[in-house]
């Protein structure tokens, strides 16, 4: 990104990061529809996915408005390729098992709830309004994912093993949510969004408390996989996800109903 | 001297009348309550000869939103209005506090426990027992959770409080 980032360019990138996170995670979670271990969990996952897709419509809708040239949220969701996505890598990793899916949901919900709390006081009224709406839904997601992480972590030896393995696998994807760049600097300067790095202490306190209740150990390594939110490099998984999510528009360009 | 420019037409129905009409439009997912009972109609006003209705979504991903807008438009057209504009208003965010008392009573009668600030149903909508337990935080639609009565053993929906 050039050093001459205008405020609208930075705002557009910021909105893509918010909307792509909810879009990609919403799609991942929706992959469970009809496959969850029990009916109640199936419904819960589908409802969570639905909330996330709904939030995506607001974030990408605003992104399209900021971008101008008559684009819509649908254009951004279905007509971009991997390199244009700005979601963190955490949300694009495959679901694997139910435990990993819920651990990923918890780690994301924890960051998401803290981030939205700050965005509710954004200097941009449109962003504050979306954040106020989304934060109610996300508080509910967090309550459920935290409860489930504790239930499974502090459960049987087998469920504990699954949850520790999930945490060990996902922890290196946590750091990216708190990395900052020139887009974030522009957002902080305009009073639109907080510096991601400044959210880390609240995140560590919240996650530390829940994982301790879950009798799970946070890995010591601080190594972080990065590249999703800047678009520098996604994992191989995002391309596969997009072939499913964008299939209809790829097979029948411009299809509408 | 011309007076025609901003003169409202004589047949223009009052805002109160329109609220009454909207109170007869059922929620597509819970047809015993109206859109007005649900608290999602946030404003009705005439702007010149155009009626502007502000609607707020319950949940951001609620698939009923498009149907709700269509139902509002259809109902108003049936009453002879043709210049209608629907505006989506997301702030302030919808809260179950906006649900009417009439709506809460109808929900319970229908078998859905109305929202409570305490975060769970006050009693079983079927037998009124307070001995109830949560089955799942989510239910058949984004706005509901799944509970069960420990006395009559009936499962029931609880309208989530947000
Ligand atoms: Zn009962």
């Amino acid at each position: 990104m050039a050093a001459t980032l205008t405020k609208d360019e930075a705002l557009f990138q910021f909105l893509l990061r918010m909307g792509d996170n909810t879009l990609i995670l919403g799609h991942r979670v929706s992959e469970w529809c009809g496959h969850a271990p029990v009916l109640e969990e199936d419904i819960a996952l589908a409802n969570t996915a639905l909330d996330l897709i709904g939030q995506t419509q607001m974030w990408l809708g605003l992104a399209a408005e900021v971008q101008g040239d008559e684009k819509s949220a649908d254009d951004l969701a279905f007509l971009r390729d991997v390199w244009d996505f700005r979601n963190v890598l955490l949300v694009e990793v495959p679901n694997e098992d139910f435990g990993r899916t819920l651990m990923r949901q918890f780690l994301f919900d924890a960051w998401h709830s803290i981030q939205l709390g700050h965005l509710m006081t954004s200097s941009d009224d449109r962003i504050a309004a979306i954040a106020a709406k989304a934060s109610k839904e996300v508080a509910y997601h967090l309550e459920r994912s935290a409860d489930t992480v504790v239930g499974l972590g502090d459960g049987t030896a087998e469920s504990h093993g699954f949850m520790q393995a999930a945490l060990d696998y996902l922890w290196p994807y946590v750091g990216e949510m708190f990395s900052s760049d020139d887009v974030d600097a522009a957002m902080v300067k305009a009073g639109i969004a907080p510096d991601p790095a400044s959210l880390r202490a609240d995140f560590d306190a919240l996650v530390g408390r829940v994982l301790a209740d879950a009798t799970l150990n946070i890995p010591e390594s601080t190594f972080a996989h990065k590249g999703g939110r800047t678009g520098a490099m996604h994992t191989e998984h995002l391309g596969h996800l997009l072939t499913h999510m964008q299939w209809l528009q790829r097979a029948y360009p411009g299809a509408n109903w | 001297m011309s007076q025609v420019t901003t003169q409202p037409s004589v047949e223009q129905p009052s805002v109160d009348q329109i609220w009454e009409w909207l109170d007869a439009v059922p929620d597509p997912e819970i047809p015993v309550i109206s859109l007005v009972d649900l608290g999602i109609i946030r404003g009705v006003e005439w702007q010149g000869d155009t009626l502007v209705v502000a609607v707020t979504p319950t949940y951001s991903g609620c698939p009923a939103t498009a149907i709700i807008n269509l139902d509002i438009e259809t109902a108003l057209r049936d009453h002879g209005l043709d210049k209608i504009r629907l505006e989506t208003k997301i702030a302030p965010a919808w809260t179950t506090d906006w649900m009417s008392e009439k709506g809460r009573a109808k929900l319970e009668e229908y078998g859905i426990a109305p929202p409570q600030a305490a975060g769970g149903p006050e009693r079983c909508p079927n037998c009124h027992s307070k001995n109830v337990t949560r089955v799942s935080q989510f239910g058949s639609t984004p706005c509901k959770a799944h509970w069960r009565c420990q006395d009559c053993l009936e499962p029931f929906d609880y309208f989530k409080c947000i």
Side-chain angles (χ1 to χ4, degrees), chain A residues 29 41-52 141, chain B residues 138-144 160:
Chain A
V29 175
E41 291 305 328
D42 203 288
I43 290 169
L45 287 163
N47 272 298
T48 303
L50 195 60
D51 285 344
L52 291 169
H141 299 171
Chain B
F138 290 87
S140 55
T141 63
C143 58
K144 287 180 257 142
K160 293 175 346 197

Side-chain angles (χ1 to χ4, degrees), chain B residues 124 127 149 152:
Chain B
C124 165
C127 74
C149 175
C152 73

Side-chain angles (χ1 to χ4, degrees), chain B residues 2-162:
Chain B
S2 166
Q3 294 185 310
V4 292
T5 44
T6 57
Q7 199 74 282
S9 103
V10 275
E11 311 97 287
Q12 195 169 67
S14 72
V15 164
D16 284 347
Q17 175 66 67
I18 289 155
W19 275 103
E20 223 170 274
W21 288 340
L22 292 174
D23 197 22
V25 182
D27 174 78
E29 283 177 338
I30 312 171
V32 289
I33 60 170
S34 77
L35 299 180
V36 173
D37 286 330
L38 193 56
I40 60 168
I41 311 284
R42 302 316 300 161
V44 174
E45 68 167 349
W46 284 104
Q47 287 180 11
D49 61 353
T50 302
L51 182 75
V52 182
V53 180
V55 185
T56 194
T58 52
Y59 283 77
S60 18
C62 184
T65 306
I67 305 293
I68 286 172
N69 286 351
L70 189 67
D71 287 351
I72 292 171
E73 211 170 320
T74 307
L76 295 176
R77 286 194 195 290
D78 286 349
H79 284 290
L81 303 186
D82 57 352
K83 286 191 153 184
I84 304 158
R85 194 169 76 240
L86 296 184
E87 283 180 353
T88 302
K89 192 168 187 264
I90 65 164
W94 178 75
T95 156
T96 40
D97 295 350
W98 292 342
M99 193 179 282
S100 72
E101 282 305 320
K102 166 167 76 85
R104 295 172 60 90
K106 282 188 171 172
L107 273 184
E108 191 178 36
E109 217 174 289
Y110 186 59
I112 298 172
Q116 302 292 345
E122 190 201 351
R123 59 187 190 182
C124 165
N126 184 44
C127 74
H128 295 182
S129 161
K130 303 210 180 219
N131 187 12
V132 292
T133 182
R134 190 175 75 189
V135 177
S136 172
Q137 271 156 303
F138 290 87
S140 55
T141 63
C143 58
K144 287 180 257 142
H146 187 189
W147 284 65
R148 182 176 50 220
C149 175
Q150 300 290 75
D151 285 331
C152 73
L153 302 179
E154 283 293 323
F156 63 89
D157 272 332
Y158 163 63
F159 205 106
K160 293 175 346 197
C161 183
I162 71 164

Side-chain angles (χ1 to χ4, degrees), chain A residues 1-250:
Chain A
M1 229 163 287
T4 53
L5 199 62
T6 68
K7 190 188 148 197
D8 269 1
E9 282 165 350
L11 179 59
F12 178 62
Q13 291 297 318
F14 169 77
L15 292 166
L16 288 183
R17 289 171 178 183
M18 292 303 297
D20 287 348
N21 278 343
T22 52
L23 174 63
I24 301 302
L25 184 59
H27 185 83
R28 274 285 183 237
V29 175
S30 78
E31 290 171 359
W32 275 102
C33 196
H35 300 276
V38 291
L39 184 60
E40 285 75 15
E41 291 305 328
D42 203 288
I43 290 169
L45 287 163
N47 272 298
T48 303
L50 195 60
D51 285 344
L52 291 169
I53 301 297
Q55 293 164 19
T56 303
Q57 284 177 330
M58 298 193 285
W59 290 123
L60 293 188
L62 182 53
E65 195 183 309
V66 169
Q67 188 185 26
D69 47 80
E70 315 271 305
K71 290 284 195 293
S72 69
D74 281 341
D75 292 329
L76 290 172
F78 297 118
L79 303 181
R80 284 180 301 155
D81 211 335
V82 171
W83 48 82
D84 288 325
F85 276 77
R86 295 292 179 266
N87 56 281
V88 291
L89 302 178
L90 174 71
V91 299
E92 69 193 46
V93 294
N95 292 332
E96 193 70 18
D97 52 60
F98 182 73
R100 192 197 278 180
T101 299
L102 264 294
M103 179 61 79
R104 181 187 56 200
Q105 191 67 40
F106 168 64
L107 296 170
F108 182 79
D109 290 344
W111 168 83
H112 203 194
S113 65
I114 295 166
Q115 166 81 339
L116 292 173
H118 285 272
L119 294 181
M120 283 167 70
T121 57
S122 172
S123 63
D124 187 316
D125 292 342
R126 300 168 298 181
I127 289 175
I130 297 172
K133 181 81 194 152
S135 70
K136 289 185 169 207
E137 295 159 3
V138 170
Y140 206 78
H141 299 171
L142 177 62
E143 190 186 318
R144 169 175 176 273
S145 62
D147 280 357
T148 314
V149 163
V150 172
L152 293 174
D154 188 18
T156 64
E158 190 179 2
S159 72
H160 177 88
F162 268 94
M163 295 313 276
Q164 186 63 55
L167 181 59
D168 292 346
Y169 178 83
L170 293 170
W171 193 253
Y173 293 97
V174 164
E176 188 185 11
M177 294 190 285
F178 306 97
S179 59
S180 304
D181 64 4
D182 53 350
V183 170
D184 300 300
M187 292 299 96
V188 172
K189 193 163 165 242
I192 290 175
D195 179 2
S198 71
L199 310 182
R200 185 74 203 231
D202 284 349
F203 176 87
D204 284 341
L206 169 61
V207 166
R209 203 164 57 235
V210 172
L211 293 179
D213 281 353
T215 69
L216 296 170
N217 297 316
I218 296 177
E220 275 169 27
S221 169
T222 55
F223 169 76
H225 293 293
K226 288 178 186 167
R229 73 195 297 276
T230 60
M233 191 170 67
H234 282 278
T235 67
E236 67 182 293
H237 309 297
L238 182 60
H240 292 272
L241 182 152
L242 294 185
T243 60
H244 285 257
M245 191 180 83
Q246 299 179 333
W247 174 82
L248 193 96
Q249 284 301 326
R250 293 184 187 198

